[in-house]
C-alpha cells in the first residue's frame, strides 16, 4: 500500500494530574478581594479539598499531551456506524460562543432574551419542516433523553385515553437505548424479529400488536442501514389497535429531504443533532435530542417551548397536558445554536445533497468490499453497510482484530458487534463529508487487512502496534474496578 | 457546499460502481407514499459572511447581554472562565471524537475523564463519580431512581421543597409513569428543610436535600443524614453550585450516600442553561447501581497504564431493558472542561475562590440589611440568599436594569408564597461597586 496515513511518531507521556504540581501553585487568575472577609461558623467549614496545585503551563501541557493521544473527525475518517461522524464545521463553534448567547441567563423574562428565543423558535420550525412532523421540543439533551421523552409522551397519551398499556414492540435490530428508555416508563419490551432481508414484516407486527401494547419503536433506516419499506403498513396496524409509533431518528442522515416521517406513520421522532446536524460529540457529549411530534401529541410535549406572540418570542411555561420538564433549563442550548447554524449554511438543497452523498459513499464501500468481507444482507443500503467476519473466521481473525488493525493504518474503526443480529458485525458509516480519495484509501486498507488476515494473521491479532497503548485489559478493569485515582501509581 | 467534497466527476464514477443511474436512484427502496413532498420554509443557504451577519443581528436583540451584571444564580452562575480552559477544551482532538469505544485511540478523553471522576470525588467526598449525566435536574431524577433500585421493595422518595424547582419538576416527570410516590418535605422558617414529617412515612427509599439549597441556605447535612439513616432511607444530596464545597463540608463527610448536581460553575458558560454538567457520585457499596458511564484504570498488553470504559454490564448497550439507566451520550466535553477548571484552580485556589464568593455575598447581604432590607431566611448561606425589601422593589429593579444590573430574581413565579421576595446570586465576578449600586437603590 502506498501513502499509508498511519505511521509512528513521537508520543509524549504525561502522568496523572495529581502526580505532578506542587502545593502553592495556581493555574488561574483569581481577582483580589474588594470586600472585607466575613466570619463563617467553623462547624460549617470543611477540610481543604485535595486537588493538586498546578501552574498554568502545567495545565496547558497536560491537556495538550492528552489531546494528542486522541483521534477525532478532524484527525481522519471516523466511519463509526450509527454515529454519523461527519465534519463539524468550525463556524458553528464561533456562533455558539457569541458573547450574547454564551452569557444568556436562563431565568430572565422573555423580553430580555429575545435572540436566544428566536433561535429556539426558528430551529423548532426548521426541524418540523425537515421531519414532516408538526411540533418540536428542543429540551432533550441527547438521543436517549429524546427516547425517554417520547415514552413519557406515549404514557401521557394512553393515560389520557384511559388505556392501560404495559408492553412495547422493539425490533431486534434496535439500539439498546430503546428498550432501556421504554423500561423507565414501565413498558416491557416485546422483541420483533426482522425477516431474512433484515427488515420488519407487517405480518409479524400484526401478530404481536394488541391493545395492551403502547406502540412500537422503529429506527428507520434501521441499524443494518436498510429503509423499513413496510413502515406505513406497520404504522397502520399499530394505530388500528390504539398504539403509537416512535421513530428513532438516529439514522436521519440517510433520508433528509427524501422521507417524510409523518407520512411514514411516525407519531413521535427524536433527532440526534450531534449526528445528523453536525454538532461535535465531544468524546461522549453533549448531544441534543429534540423530539418532533404530530399535532395530536403536541399538548404532551415538555415545557417550556418557544412560540411567537406578535413580534415577541416567548416561552410557554405551563400547559395542562404537558409531561412537564425533562431538563433543568432549555436543553443543551449551545448545541442547538450549532445545529441552527448548520441548517442555515446547508439550506434545503444542501441537506438533501448531504443525504444523497452519505448514501452514495456507503453503497460505494459496500460494493467494493462485498467480495472481501461477508455481507449478510446483500441488498443496496442507505447511509451505512454492515459486514461480518465470517470469511476471516477460517484464519482465526475476528472483527475486533480487524478493527484494531485499522488503527495502525490511521483510521478510526467502524462500529463493531452491533447490530446484535449480525454475528461479528462490522458497521461502516462513512458520512457525506469523506471524499472519494479517502474512501478509496479506506477500501484499499480494508482489502489489505483481509489479505493480512489470510497471509499474516498474527499481524492483525496483535494490532494495534502504533497507538500510545496496545490492547487494554478490560476484564481486569471490570473485575477490580479502579474508578478514581487512589491506586498506587505504577513504579517509576 | 464546502462541506461536501464530491465533484460531478466523483459522483459519476461512484454511481458507476454502485450501478445506479442517478443519486435519486439510490433511494428507490423508499416507497412513494413515504416521500417528502412538502416545500421547506428554509432560507437560501448562507455563506459564512451571511451567517455571521445573521447571527450578529440576532445577538443584538438580546436586551440583557454580556455587559450586564446579572446578580442571579438560581442554577446558572457567572464565574470567570480562564482562557486556558476555553482553549484546551476547544482542541478538536477532544471535541470531534465520539464516545471512547476504541480506547487505544481515545486515551486523551479517557485519562481526562478519569481525572475528572477523581477530582470530583475528592470535592464531594464520594468513593465513585461517573463520567457525567445531562445536568443537575436529570441527575437528581436518576439519583432518586437509583435510590429506589437499591431500596428494592420501597415505593417512596422524599425531596425537599428547597431543592431547585426545575430539578423537582424533572424528577416528577421521570417518576410520573411509575408506581413510585414523590413526597415533598417543606422548608422551615430559617430556610432549611423540615424533616420532622419523615418519621410518619413508611417505605421511603431515599430522601434528597440540596445544599446550598435553592435559597442559598446551607443545610445541616450531618444532622439530616442521621435522621434519614434512622429511617433506613438513603441520603441523597444535590447541589447547583459545586464551588461551595471549596469552603463547606463535603456531602460525603456528612453521611450522603449519593451526591448529584450541576457542575456548570466549573468552566462552562451560562449559555441559556446548557450545555451544563450533571455530576453524579456515590459511596462504594452502590457502585454497580450507578447510572452512566465509568472510566477505569487498567494496563495494556505490555503492562503500561491505560484507561477504558468499564462496568458496562450496567449499561443499556449490554443490559438493554435491565440497564441502570437509558443514558448513552452524556456531557463528555463538559466533564473534561470541569476537570481542566478544577486542575487550574488547584486545592489552594479552590479554597481562595470559594471564600471570595462567600465574602462578596456577605457584603451585599450586610449592605442591604443596613439599608433596611430583611434577610428572609436566617440560616447561613453560600453565594445566594433571599431578601425582603421594606417597600416594593420592582421600581428599583427597573432603575438598576437601566444601569445594566439585573438585581435578583423575583420568587413569586417559582414559590407563590415568596412573592415580592428576591433571590440574589453573587460570585467573584460581582464588584463591590455594583453591589453598592444595588444597596443605594434600596435606600432611595
Amino acid at each position: 500500500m502506498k501513502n499509508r496515513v498511519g505511521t509512528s511518531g513521537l508520543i509524549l507521556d504525561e502522568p496523572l494530574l495529581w502526580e505532578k504540581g506542587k502545593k502553592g501553585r495556581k493555574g488561574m487568575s483569581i481577582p483580589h478581594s474588594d470586600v472585607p472577609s466575613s466570619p463563617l461558623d467553623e462547624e460549617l467549614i470543611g477540610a481543604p479539598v485535595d486537588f493538586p496545585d498546578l501552574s498554568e503551563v502545567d495545565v496547558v501541557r497536560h491537556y495538550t499531551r492528552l489531546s494528542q493521544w486522541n483521534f477525532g473527525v478532524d484527525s481522519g475518517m471516523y466511519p463509526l456506524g450509527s454515529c454519523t461522524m461527519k465534519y463539524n464545521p468550525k463556524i458553528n463553534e464561533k456562533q455558539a460562543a457569541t458573547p450574547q448567547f454564551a452569557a444568556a441567563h436562563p431565568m430572565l423574562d422573555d423580553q430580555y432574551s429575545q435572540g436566544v428565543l428566536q433561535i429556539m423558535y426558528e430551529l423548532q420550525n426548521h426541524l418540523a419542516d425537515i421531519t414532516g412532523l408538526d411540533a418540536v421540543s428542543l429540551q432533550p439533551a441527547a438521543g436517549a433523553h429524546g427516547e425517554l421523552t417520547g415514552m413519557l409522551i406515549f404514557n401521557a397519551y394512553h393515560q389520557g385515553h384511559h388505556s392501560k398499556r404495559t408492553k412495547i414492540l422493539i425490533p431486534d435490530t434496535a439500539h439498546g437505548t430503546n428498550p432501556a428508555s421504554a423500561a423507565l416508563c414501565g413498558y416491557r419490551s416485546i422483541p420483533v424479529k426482522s425477516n431474512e432481508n433484515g427488515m420488519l414484516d407487517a405480518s409479524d407486527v400484526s401478530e404481536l400488536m394488541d391493545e395492551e401494547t403502547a406502540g412500537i419503536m422503529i429506527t428507520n433506516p434501521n441499524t443494518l442501514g436498510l429503509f423499513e419499506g413496510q413502515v406505513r403498513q406497520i404504522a397502520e396496524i399499530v394505530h388500528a389497535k390504539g398504539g403509537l409509533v416512535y421513530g428513532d431518528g438516529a439514522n436521519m442522515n440517510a433520508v433528509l429531504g427524501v422521507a417524510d416521517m409523518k407520512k411514514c406513520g411516525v407519531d413521535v421522532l427524536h433527532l440526534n443533532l450531534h449526528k445528523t446536524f453536525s454538532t461535535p460529540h465531544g468524546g461522549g457529549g453533549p448531544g441534543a435530542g429534540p423530539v418532533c411530534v404530530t399535532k395530536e401529541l403536541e399538548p404532551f410535549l415538555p415545557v417550556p417551548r418557544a412560540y411567537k406572540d406578535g413580534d415577541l418570542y416567548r416561552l410557554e411555561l405551563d400547559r395542562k397536558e404537558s409531561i412537564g420538564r425533562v431538563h433543568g433549563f432549555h436543553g443543551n442550548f449551545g448545541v442547538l445554536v450549532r445545529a441552527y447554524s448548520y441548517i442555515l449554511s446547508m439550506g434545503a438543497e444542501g441537506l438533501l445533497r448531504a443525504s444523497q452523498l452519505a448514501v452514495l459513499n456507503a453503497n460505494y464501500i459496500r460494493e467494493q468490499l462485498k467480495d472481501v468481507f461477508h455481507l449478510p444482507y446483500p441488498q443496496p443500503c442507505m447511509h451505512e453497510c454492515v459486514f461480518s467476519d465470517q470469511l476471516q473466521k477460517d484464519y482465526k481473525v475476528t472483527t475486533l482484530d480487524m478493527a484494531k488493525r485499522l488503527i495502525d493504518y490511521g483510521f478510526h474503526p467502524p462500529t463493531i458487534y452491533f447490530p446484535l443480529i449480525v454475528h461479528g458485525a462490522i458497521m461502516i458509516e462513512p458520512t457525506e463529508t469523506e471524499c472519494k480519495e479517502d474512501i478509496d484509501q479506506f477500501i484499499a486498507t480494508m482489502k489489505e487487512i483481509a489479505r493480512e488476515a489470510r497471509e499474516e494473521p498474527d499481524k492483525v491479532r496483535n494490532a494495534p502496534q502504533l497507538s500510545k497503548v496496545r490492547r487494554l485489559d478490560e476484564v481486569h478493569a471490570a473485575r477490580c474496578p479502579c474508578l478514581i485515582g487512589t491506586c498506587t501509581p505504577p513504579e517509576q | 457546499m464546502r462541506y461536501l467534497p464530491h465533484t460531478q466527476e466523483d459522483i459519476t464514477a461512484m454511481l458507476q460502481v454502485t450501478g445506479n443511474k442517478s443519486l435519486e436512484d439510490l433511494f428507490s427502496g423508499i416507497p412513494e407514499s413515504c416521500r417528502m413532498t412538502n416545500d421547506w420554509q428554509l432560507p437560501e443557504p448562507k455563506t459564512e459572511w451571511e451567517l455571521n451577519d445573521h447571527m450578529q443581528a440576532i445577538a443584538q436583540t438580546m436586551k440583557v447581554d454580556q455587559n450586564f451584571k446579572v446578580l442571579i444564580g438560581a442554577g446558572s452562575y457567572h464565574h470567570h472562565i480562564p482562557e486556558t480552559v476555553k482553549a484546551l477544551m476547544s482542541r478538536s482532538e477532544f471535541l470531534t471524537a465520539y464516545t471512547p469505544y476504541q480506547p487505544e485511540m481515545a486515551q486523551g478523553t479517557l485519562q481526562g475523564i478519569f481525572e475528572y471522576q477523581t477530582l470530583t470525588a475528592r470535592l464531594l467526598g464520594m468513593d465513585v463519580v461517573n463520567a457525567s449525566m445531562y445536568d443537575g435536574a436529570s441527575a437528581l431524577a436518576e439519583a432518586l431512581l437509583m435510590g429506589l433500585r437499591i431500596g428494592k421493595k420501597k415505593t417512596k422518595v422524599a425531596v425537599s421543597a428547597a431543592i431547585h424547582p426545575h430539578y423537582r419538576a424533572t424528577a416528577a416527570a421521570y417518576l410520573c409513569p411509575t408506581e413510585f410516590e414523590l413526597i415533598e418535605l417543606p422548608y422551615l422558617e430559617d430556610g432549611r428543610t423540615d424533616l420532622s414529617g419523615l418519621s410518619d412515612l413508611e417505605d421511603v427509599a431515599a430522601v434528597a436535600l440540596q445544599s446550598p439549597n435553592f435559597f442559598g441556605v446551607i443545610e445541616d447535612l450531618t444532622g439530616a443524614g442521621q435522621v434519614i439513616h434512622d429511617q433506613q432511607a438513603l441520603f441523597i444530596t444535590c447541589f447547583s453550585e459545586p464551588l461551595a464545597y471549596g469552603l463547606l463540608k463535603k456531602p460525603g463527610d456528612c453521611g450522603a450516600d449519593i451526591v448529584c448536581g450541576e457542575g456548570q460553575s466549573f468552566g462552562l458558560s451560562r449559555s441559556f442553561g446548557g450545555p451544563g454538567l450533571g455530576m453524579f457520585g456515590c459511596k462504594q457499596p452502590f457502585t454497580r447501581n450507578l447510572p452512566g458511564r465509568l472510566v477505569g484504570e487498567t494496563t495494556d498488553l505490555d503492562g503500561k497504564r491505560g484507561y477504558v470504559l468499564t462496568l458496562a454490564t450496567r449499561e443499556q448497550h449490554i443490559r438493554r431493558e435491565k440497564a441502570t439507566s437509558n443514558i448513552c451520550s452524556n456531557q463528555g466535553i463538559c466533564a473534561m472542561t470541569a476537570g481542566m477548571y478544577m486542575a487550574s484552580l488547584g486545592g489552594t485556589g479552590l479554597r481562595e475562590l470559594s471564600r471570595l464568593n462567600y465574602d462578596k455575598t456577605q457584603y451585599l447581604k450586610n449592605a442591604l440589611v443596613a439599608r433596611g432590607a430583611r434577610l428572609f431566611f436566617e440560616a447561613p448561606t453560600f453565594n445566594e440568599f433571599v431578601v425582603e425589601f421594606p417597600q416594593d422593589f420592582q421600581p428599583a429593579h427597573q432603575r438598576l436594569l437601566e444601569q445594566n444590573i439585573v438585581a435578583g430574581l423575583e420568587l413569586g413565579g417559582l414559590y407563590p408564597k415568596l412573592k415580592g421576595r428576591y433571590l440574589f446570586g453573587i460570585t467573584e465576578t460581582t464588584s463591590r461597586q455594583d453591589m453598592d449600586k444595588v444597596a443605594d437603590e434600596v435606600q432611595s
Side-chain angles (χ1 to χ4, degrees):
Chain A
M1 271 190 50
K2 291 181 293 181
N3 306 324
R4 178 168 155 169
V5 183
T7 62
S8 64
L10 182 62
I11 297 172
L12 303 177
D13 208 0
E14 175 68 12
L16 290 156
L17 281 169
W18 47 91
E19 293 168 1
K20 52 192 275 184
K22 201 171 240 178
K23 265 295 160 229
R25 281 192 190 144
K26 209 184 291 169
M28 76 183 248
S29 185
I30 295 175
H32 298 296
S33 184
D34 55 1
V35 297
S37 186
S38 281
L40 174 65
D41 185 355
E42 285 294 327
E43 276 291 292
L44 297 172
I45 298 181
V49 179
D50 182 21
F51 285 177
D53 284 356
L54 306 160
S55 72
E56 185 164 323
V57 184
D58 288 335
V59 174
V60 169
R61 291 229 173 108
H62 180 81
Y63 285 103
T64 302
R65 288 181 179 181
L66 259 58
S67 78
Q68 290 170 340
W69 309 339
N70 245 30
F71 186 93
V73 183
D74 283 7
S75 318
M77 187 167 162
Y78 211 124
L80 195 63
S82 244
C83 300
T84 315
M85 291 299 280
K86 61 169 76 178
Y87 169 64
N88 311 140
K90 300 299 163 198
I91 187 73
N92 301 344
E93 299 302 310
K94 174 184 156 156
Q95 307 308 347
T98 302
Q100 288 91 336
F101 305 153
H105 193 284
M107 300 281 263
L108 302 186
D109 284 347
D110 297 342
Q111 53 171 320
Y112 304 123
S113 309
Q114 285 296 292
V116 291
L117 295 181
Q118 182 184 345
I119 290 174
M120 287 176 66
Y121 176 77
E122 291 185 2
L123 183 60
Q124 286 171 194
N125 288 344
H126 294 329
L127 296 180
D129 252 0
I130 289 167
T131 55
L133 287 156
D134 301 310
V136 177
S137 163
L138 302 171
Q139 217 175 90
H145 206 206
E147 292 173 25
L148 170 63
T149 306
M151 289 301 101
L152 291 171
I153 291 171
F154 271 38
N155 180 69
Y157 169 87
H158 287 306
Q159 270 191 350
H161 286 74
H162 306 290
S163 165
K164 176 95 185 134
R165 309 236 168 182
T166 54
K167 299 183 284 182
I168 189 133
L169 304 183
I170 298 185
D172 55 8
T173 48
H175 293 114
T177 48
N178 286 185
S181 300
L184 280 169
C185 292
Y187 293 134
R188 187 158 55 86
S189 300
I190 307 296
V192 189
K193 271 202 157 60
S194 26
N195 64 21
E196 67 281 4
N197 297 319
M199 296 201 265
L200 290 174
D201 253 333
S203 57
D204 292 333
V205 173
S206 177
E207 263 176 44
L208 294 168
M209 185 64 204
D210 58 24
E211 277 161 12
E212 284 166 17
T213 304
I216 190 167
M217 297 180 90
I218 301 182
T219 308
N220 200 14
N222 68 23
T223 60
L224 292 165
L226 306 172
F227 191 88
E228 296 285 0
Q230 295 188 38
V231 62
R232 258 183 83 98
Q233 292 92 305
I234 290 168
E236 277 162 25
I237 291 162
V238 170
H239 288 151
K241 298 274 185 190
L244 295 171
V245 177
Y246 186 87
D248 180 326
N251 294 338
M252 269 303 280
N253 202 46
V255 292
L256 296 172
V258 181
D260 179 324
M261 289 298 146
K262 189 150 96 180
K263 285 195 190 162
C264 291
V266 169
D267 300 292
V268 187
L269 174 95
H270 85 257
L271 295 167
N272 300 72
L273 300 188
H274 51 287
K275 297 180 180 176
T276 313
F277 297 94
S278 86
T279 72
H281 196 259
V291 160
C292 315
V293 299
T294 56
K295 198 91 210 145
E296 195 187 4
L297 296 180
E298 183 175 4
F300 302 109
L301 282 175
V303 282
R305 265 193 324 139
Y307 69 101
K308 206 169 176 186
D309 177 13
D311 286 336
L312 262 191
Y313 297 96
R314 287 190 178 284
L315 284 173
E316 184 188 22
L317 293 178
D318 211 11
R319 199 183 331 107
K320 209 172 107 261
E321 291 174 282
S322 166
I323 60 162
R325 274 181 179 279
V326 294
H327 189 272
F329 297 111
H330 309 293
N332 283 332
F333 178 75
V335 177
L336 304 179
V337 177
R338 291 171 174 91
Y340 174 76
S341 303
Y342 177 73
I343 291 169
L344 292 186
S345 302
M346 296 293 279
E349 197 185 305
L351 292 174
L352 170 65
R353 194 31 94 95
S355 282
Q356 289 175 333
L357 297 177
V359 173
L360 177 66
N361 280 354
N363 276 287
Y364 182 74
I365 291 174
R366 181 186 55 80
E367 196 59 39
Q368 305 260 42
L369 290 180
K370 69 178 182 187
D371 298 330
V372 189
F373 295 97
H374 173 240
L375 190 61
Y377 300 95
Q379 67 267 47
C381 62
M382 301 298 287
H383 66 302
E384 65 194 4
C385 52
V386 180
F387 294 96
S388 88
D389 58 2
Q390 201 177 308
L391 301 180
Q392 283 71 36
K393 266 208 188 111
D394 296 344
Y395 317 112
K396 297 201 170 55
V397 168
T398 64
T399 288
L400 184 72
D401 296 329
M402 296 188 282
K404 298 300 183 196
R405 185 64 181 145
L406 267 172
I407 295 175
D408 282 334
Y409 283 98
F411 290 96
H412 194 282
T415 292
I416 53 175
Y417 301 105
F418 186 84
L420 304 176
I421 60 165
V422 175
H423 193 82
I426 304 170
M427 185 198 218
I428 300 171
E429 180 182 11
T431 85
E432 71 280 8
T433 57
E434 294 305 319
C435 66
K436 182 170 176 296
E437 302 87 280
D438 287 353
I439 287 179
D440 284 336
Q441 177 87 16
F442 175 76
I443 290 165
T445 304
M446 288 294 283
K447 287 181 174 169
E448 177 67 7
I449 292 172
R451 185 199 61 77
E452 289 174 348
R454 249 183 353 257
E455 297 169 11
E456 310 166 83
D458 273 343
K459 225 180 201 172
V460 186
R461 284 185 215 120
N462 291 324
Q465 297 281 355
L466 300 181
S467 47
K468 176 174 186 283
V469 290
R470 293 179 62 209
R471 285 193 210 186
L472 291 146
D473 189 346
E474 304 202 18
V475 174
H476 174 78
R479 280 213 185 124
C480 315
C482 170
L483 306 170
I484 62 170
T486 49
C487 310
T488 344
E491 283 170 36
Q492 299 297 312
Chain B
M1 187 4 137
R2 64 192 183 282
Y3 312 146
L4 305 177
H6 299 62
T7 64
Q8 192 50 51
E9 190 190 341
D10 293 334
I11 293 171
T12 310
M14 292 171 85
L15 284 172
Q16 207 155 29
V17 171
T18 62
N20 294 96
K21 292 190 288 290
S22 63
L23 288 173
E24 290 73 25
D25 190 34
L26 291 161
F27 297 87
S28 57
I30 300 182
E32 277 308 313
S33 57
C34 293
R35 296 273 177 155
M36 175 63 72
T37 51
N38 299 348
D39 278 330
W40 297 351
Q41 304 298 308
L42 272 181
E44 285 298 304
K46 292 192 192 316
T47 62
E48 200 161 299
W49 289 272
E50 289 163 342
L51 183 68
N52 282 336
D53 289 347
H54 176 75
M55 299 301 273
Q56 274 310 308
I58 294 177
Q60 296 306 327
T61 67
M62 293 294 285
K63 260 197 204 157
V64 170
D65 63 14
Q66 71 278 16
N67 300 316
F68 272 67
K69 312 288 177 200
V70 180
L71 308 190
I72 299 178
S76 182
Y77 302 89
H78 182 209
H79 292 290
H80 173 66
I81 303 173
E83 285 306 317
T84 48
V85 169
K86 288 185 206 167
L88 293 169
M89 67 79 67
S90 303
R91 286 192 68 93
S92 73
E93 298 89 338
F94 292 137
L95 198 58
T96 72
Y98 207 77
T99 302
Y101 295 131
Q102 296 290 340
E104 300 89 345
M105 264 185 147
Q107 283 300 300
T109 294
L110 286 161
Q111 182 172 326
I113 296 294
F114 181 78
E115 291 169 339
Y116 157 80
Q117 290 175 182
T118 303
L119 296 185
T120 306
R122 291 182 185 181
L123 179 79
L124 303 176
M126 288 288 102
D127 297 329
V128 190
V129 162
N130 78 8
S132 70
M133 307 301 284
Y134 306 130
D135 71 338
S138 60
L140 174 65
E142 291 268 17
L144 295 169
L145 289 171
M146 178 171 163
L148 286 159
R149 277 198 299 280
I150 297 167
K152 295 255 163 54
K153 297 220 163 99
K154 295 181 180 172
T155 56
K156 292 176 194 144
V157 281
V159 296
S160 159
I163 290 181
H164 196 302
H166 293 175
Y167 294 14
R168 281 183 284 129
T170 303
Y174 270 63
L175 288 173
C176 174
T178 68
E179 307 281 314
F180 304 126
E181 196 185 336
L182 183 66
I183 297 158
E184 213 160 271
L185 304 171
Y187 55 85
L188 297 160
E189 228 168 80
D190 70 352
R192 287 179 167 155
T193 303
D194 180 2
L195 293 167
S196 62
L198 209 55
S199 52
D200 300 334
L201 298 171
E202 279 174 16
D203 276 352
V204 179
V207 180
L209 259 59
Q210 177 178 332
S211 184
N213 67 25
F214 186 69
F215 309 126
V217 166
I218 303 164
E219 296 270 5
D220 171 17
L221 290 183
T222 307
Q226 278 161 10
V227 174
I228 292 162
H229 284 147
D230 283 348
Q231 297 293 310
Q232 265 75 56
L234 287 176
F235 181 24
I236 299 173
T237 74
C238 81
F239 57 88
S240 63
E241 177 51 287
L243 189 65
Y245 305 126
L247 183 61
L248 306 178
K249 277 190 180 147
K250 302 166 193 168
D253 292 350
C254 303
D257 300 298
I258 301 172
V259 182
C260 61
E262 174 59 57
Q264 174 267 330
S265 281
F266 284 179
L268 301 166
S269 59
R270 287 164 289 178
S271 191
F272 206 48
L277 167 65
M279 291 178 151
F280 199 109
C282 70
K283 291 281 172 69
Q284 192 275 329
F286 311 117
T287 305
R288 283 173 198 270
N289 273 296
L290 271 175
R293 297 191 196 284
L294 288 164
V295 175
E297 189 173 292
T298 186
T299 49
D300 78 352
L301 285 172
D302 298 331
K304 225 182 353 183
R305 182 166 74 179
Y307 299 88
V308 291
L309 292 174
T310 193
L311 298 187
T313 49
R314 301 162 299 112
E315 289 186 68
Q316 47 77 24
H317 61 285
I318 310 275
R319 192 59 71 84
R320 296 176 84 87
E321 65 267 29
K322 294 194 179 65
T324 55
S325 167
N326 70 331
I327 192 167
C328 184
S329 284
N330 51 29
Q331 301 285 113
I333 199 70
C334 305
M336 282 292 279
T337 305
M340 293 167 184
Y341 183 89
M342 289 187 272
S344 301
L345 264 182
T348 308
L350 176 67
R351 176 57 59 105
E352 187 184 335
L353 187 63
S354 298
R355 186 80 214 192
L356 184 56
N357 274 253
Y358 175 77
D359 288 342
K360 292 236 181 195
T361 312
Q362 292 303 109
Y363 178 83
L364 179 61
K365 264 185 174 178
N366 294 337
L368 292 177
V369 169
R371 303 301 206 286
R374 185 177 82 90
L375 298 177
F376 195 76
F377 299 116
E378 275 174 15
T381 64
F382 183 64
N383 65 0
E384 293 180 82
F385 61 93
V386 179
V387 66
E388 186 176 66
F389 293 100
Q391 59 236 46
D392 183 11
F393 188 64
Q394 186 50 38
H397 192 271
Q398 204 54 44
R399 286 192 300 273
L400 285 161
L401 267 173
E402 281 153 25
Q403 301 176 57
N404 285 7
I405 295 173
V406 184
L409 176 71
E410 200 278 325
L411 285 175
L414 295 166
Y415 291 87
K417 278 190 197 159
L418 298 179
K419 195 169 166 36
R421 281 84 178 189
Y422 281 74
L423 176 69
F424 277 84
I426 300 298
T427 71
E428 78 281 3
T429 62
T430 321
S431 70
R432 178 180 188 149
Q433 200 185 4
D434 288 324
M435 292 192 279
D436 287 340
K437 280 187 195 165
V438 175
D440 286 346
E441 283 297 338
V442 180
Q443 208 171 32
S444 55

